[in-house]
Amino acid sequence: ATVLDLGCGAGHVSLAVAPWSKQVVAYDLTPQMLEQVERLAHERQLSNIVTRQGDVEQLPFENQSFEIVLSRYSAHHWPNPQRALQECLRVLKPGGLFLLSDIVAPEEPGYDTFLQSIELLRDHSHVRDHSISQWQAMLAQHGLSATVLMTWQLPLNFQAWVTRMATPQAYVQIIKQLFDSAPTDVRQAFQLDTEYNFAIPGALFEARKCG
């Protein structure tokens, strides 16, 4: 298949699917990420990966260009997910497969608010973790019925989590204060331990474009 990896980051998905693909387009907004993809593809002798820079809301591809569109841990950065989904479906061939893997917000409003707060404090590029029902509703607006293939709890080491994004120390302290003052049910929901390590929910969605 010809595959589009949206918000590819360092290219983990692109590298994983390349051996089974005709061509993989690794697509990201950040040039530094694309340079990393090219370096890793060269090291692994994967010649069927190409990189393109751009915005997910304005894909520079012709209609019906790909059999498969993938996105992993990118969608919570999309300012306008409806527009991005519209573009995904535009470039997907009839019968094509759309797979979306991301952090998802809890359905409970209080837990949702807590998650969005710590995510935004940690990373200013964060827009929103959508819940499973919100993703299904957005996909349904485009005529897609999304199957949830699996869910999981992603364990996070707190220090590595904030270091990875170079979170300012002042914001790190605010996140810790939010954890310290959180009600017991919130602390349990996020599996918080004494070192501020915690876990957040993720989900993998599958949808297929009708002919």
Side-chain angles (χ1 to χ4, degrees):
T2 302
V3 179
L4 174 61
D5 179 12
L6 285 178
C8 63
H12 301 299
V13 170
S14 296
L15 295 165
V17 302
W20 293 274
S21 305
K22 178 181 178 181
Q23 184 182 63
V24 179
V25 178
Y27 188 80
D28 202 272
L29 190 62
T30 309
Q32 292 87 343
M33 290 290 98
L34 298 178
E35 291 172 4
Q36 177 80 343
V37 175
E38 291 171 355
R39 182 181 66 80
L40 292 173
H42 178 73
E43 289 178 358
R44 301 185 190 187
Q45 299 182 336
L46 295 169
S47 59
N48 61 336
I49 297 178
V50 297
T51 59
R52 291 287 297 272
Q53 182 186 2
D55 189 336
V56 295
E57 296 179 15
Q58 295 179 328
L59 298 179
F61 308 111
E62 298 293 331
N63 295 349
Q64 303 180 11
S65 299
F66 300 94
E67 281 88 14
I68 300 175
V69 175
L70 308 172
S71 179
R72 175 184 178 271
Y73 292 154
S74 169
H76 57 272
H77 295 292
W78 297 351
N80 187 343
Q82 286 285 24
R83 174 60 182 165
L85 289 176
Q86 183 179 343
E87 282 290 275
C88 290
L89 294 177
R90 180 183 65 79
V91 302
L92 194 61
K93 293 182 178 180
L97 182 65
F98 177 57
L99 290 172
L100 173 69
S101 173
D102 203 14
I103 299 305
V104 291
E107 299 290 344
E108 298 86 345
Y111 300 167
D112 180 3
T113 299
F114 188 86
L115 177 60
Q116 309 302 337
S117 299
I118 62 172
E119 287 267 52
L120 188 58
L121 285 166
R122 179 245 183 182
D123 177 9
H124 71 276
S125 71
H126 175 80
V127 176
R128 180 168 185 80
D129 297 317
H130 299 280
S131 68
I132 288 176
S133 63
Q134 287 170 337
W135 275 120
Q136 289 176 321
M138 284 189 283
L139 287 162
Q141 290 183 27
H142 295 281
L144 295 177
S145 178
T147 301
V148 180
L149 295 182
M150 62 182 296
T151 60
W152 59 88
Q153 289 292 320
L154 179 67
L156 293 169
N157 176 280
F158 182 83
Q159 192 57 50
W161 182 65
V162 294
T163 300
R164 189 159 57 246
M165 294 308 299
T167 305
Q169 192 59 34
Y171 290 167
V172 172
Q173 292 306 313
I174 294 172
I175 296 171
K176 287 184 176 180
Q177 290 171 10
L178 285 174
F179 275 130
D180 288 339
S181 61
T184 301
D185 63 326
V186 172
R187 296 166 63 87
Q188 291 175 343
F190 291 95
Q191 302 176 22
L192 182 68
D193 69 15
T194 56
E195 301 297 323
Y196 298 100
N197 304 316
F198 64 106
I200 52 179
L204 174 62
F205 301 87
E206 177 190 62
R208 194 169 291 276
K209 183 178 178 180
C210 296

